[in-house]
Amino acid sequence: MTAKPKLRIYLCAPRGFCAGVVRAIDAVERALQIYGAPVYVRHEIVHNKYVVEGLKAKGAIFVEELSEVPDTDKPVIFSAHGVPKSIPAEAGRRNFLAIDATCPLVTKVHREAQSHHKHNRQVLLVGHAGHPEVVGTLGQLPPGSILLVQTPEDIETLQVADEANLAYVTQTTLSVDDTRQMVDKLHERFPLIVGPQREDICYATTNRQEAVKRIAPFVDALIVVGSSNSSNSQRLKEVGERSGCPISRLVLRAEDVEWDLFRDITTLGITAGASAPEVLVEEIMDAFAERFELEIEIVSTADESVFFPLPRELRPVA
């Protein structure tokens, strides 16, 4: 029997679920416990197909719009990404039991935008068009009150009514380096622009990117466990590429690994996006263990102890 080749795995820490994702998933599971199935969820609660399928199996019904929800006394839950103000208003009109599982760090961005608007500032949002978090933030204010900027070129060509009365907020799951570049460009073009007191990119995004930057220069390949529609997972893959890793792949399950790519590697980095459960990391590591003799080293760049309580409607009565 041929000996398996050796593979050293550098396992990033922290990785996987962040506090906002844990809270959102727990909210759906708790609502199912209290109210029974079905529970309706507007948009994927978090961007991970494995998590969504697991919740469907327990009785959650996912919809893209509230118009798909029948008249019901069952809970209707809003996803961790946040929603435009029109959505809770529609839920109120239909007398739904609405439960908002928006990540508190996204809610912070919404409040910043509302505060700037109250002070008559034009708000610029740094983010990716069409992402549910961006759609939700744009929908906090009247149309035209927030302008989306996606690239440095957008900033160069931007026309605003009053350059002395501007503020910016950012999507929470962007690349830290890209966002720094965008913010520098905003300050260069609009020296009087007002930013957030504490940056909007969430702690989990920053920490996971930092761990990838540490290992990417010296591993043969990097696997980011996560869904293709997960912004923070996509950014981790890009950070790996930019930090010098020759093979950087986003993989949801072990069955998605392109084994030919990894045949000749001797070192591998593994991390997981903030919406990817640890069980998928273990599944992929088990698949590598079938093909290689593993040595595992944990590379830790931060300790995470953040906790967000459940939405008020789901907390146990004292």
Side-chain angles (χ1 to χ4, degrees):
M1 186 174 148
T2 324
K4 289 192 268 193
K6 284 186 163 56
L7 177 64
R8 189 167 193 82
I9 287 184
Y10 294 92
L11 192 57
C12 289
R15 64 183 175 277
F17 281 176
C18 61
V21 163
V22 170
R23 175 180 183 266
I25 295 168
D26 285 354
V28 178
E29 293 188 330
R30 182 85 184 112
L32 284 163
Q33 280 171 3
I34 296 171
Y35 298 96
V39 163
Y40 295 90
V41 186
R42 185 189 177 276
H43 192 68
E44 291 187 350
I45 188 72
V46 296
H47 280 159
N48 187 278
K49 292 181 180 69
Y50 177 88
V51 171
V52 168
E53 291 304 320
L55 291 172
K56 278 183 186 172
K58 293 176 183 177
I61 295 175
F62 290 86
V63 299
E64 280 306 306
E65 297 301 340
L66 293 189
S67 57
E68 299 166 52
V69 180
D71 291 334
T72 181
D73 56 2
K74 296 285 192 175
V76 178
I77 300 176
F78 306 146
S79 81
H81 311 96
V83 293
K85 277 193 163 170
S86 57
I87 303 300
E90 184 186 342
R93 281 195 300 277
R94 293 189 61 191
N95 293 317
F96 286 150
L97 170 57
I99 296 172
D100 187 357
T102 301
C103 172
L105 298 177
V106 174
T107 302
K108 165 186 169 283
V109 175
H110 292 178
R111 291 201 178 118
E112 285 167 358
Q114 289 158 1
S115 170
H116 290 312
H117 182 62
K118 213 177 284 177
H119 289 93
N120 297 315
R121 297 183 188 116
Q122 169 83 67
V123 181
L124 308 181
L125 169 59
V126 178
H128 294 136
H131 188 277
E133 185 188 323
V134 166
V135 172
T137 302
L138 290 171
Q140 297 306 304
L141 300 182
S145 304
I146 307 188
L147 300 177
L148 180 63
V149 287
Q150 301 187 77
T151 64
E153 293 70 44
D154 288 350
I155 295 168
E156 280 170 22
T157 57
L158 193 64
Q159 299 298 315
V160 294
D162 181 2
E163 292 192 2
N165 241 351
L166 286 179
Y168 73 87
V169 294
T170 83
Q171 187 179 333
T172 63
T173 54
L174 299 174
S175 150
V176 173
D177 295 335
D178 283 353
T179 306
R180 193 174 295 125
Q181 184 190 0
M182 289 288 284
V183 168
D184 289 348
K185 193 87 186 163
L186 283 170
H187 282 289
E188 186 187 306
R189 170 95 204 268
F190 307 113
L192 298 176
I193 196 165
V194 177
Q197 286 178 319
R198 292 182 60 202
E199 70 172 6
D200 291 332
I201 293 185
C202 86
Y203 75 93
T205 299
T206 304
N207 291 346
R208 280 151 192 68
Q209 289 181 21
E210 200 50 52
V212 167
K213 282 180 193 170
R214 183 171 297 182
I215 64 164
F218 62 81
V219 293
D220 298 328
L222 171 74
I223 282 185
V224 177
V225 182
S227 280
S228 57
N229 63 336
S230 160
S231 171
N232 77 80
S233 301
Q234 287 283 7
R235 303 295 81 77
L236 286 172
K237 173 176 148 315
E238 289 167 11
V239 167
E241 290 165 346
R242 288 181 188 176
S243 303
C245 185
I247 301 169
S248 188
R249 288 291 183 274
L250 179 58
V251 174
L252 179 63
R253 304 292 302 265
E255 65 199 30
D256 305 318
V257 176
E258 303 161 75
W259 290 108
D260 284 353
L261 279 178
F262 300 96
R263 193 184 295 134
D264 300 321
I265 64 171
T266 59
T267 54
L268 172 68
I270 296 182
T271 188
S275 48
E278 185 65 10
V279 65
L280 297 186
V281 176
E282 290 166 5
E283 177 186 288
I284 286 166
M285 287 183 62
D286 287 347
F288 273 94
E290 287 170 17
R291 294 161 173 83
F292 295 89
E293 187 185 318
L294 302 186
E295 289 176 12
I296 296 167
E297 184 177 323
I298 292 172
V299 179
S300 181
T301 53
D303 286 324
E304 288 183 355
S305 55
V306 179
F307 167 77
F308 296 133
L310 281 169
R312 194 168 281 107
E313 301 88 343
L314 299 173
R315 291 176 206 167
V317 179

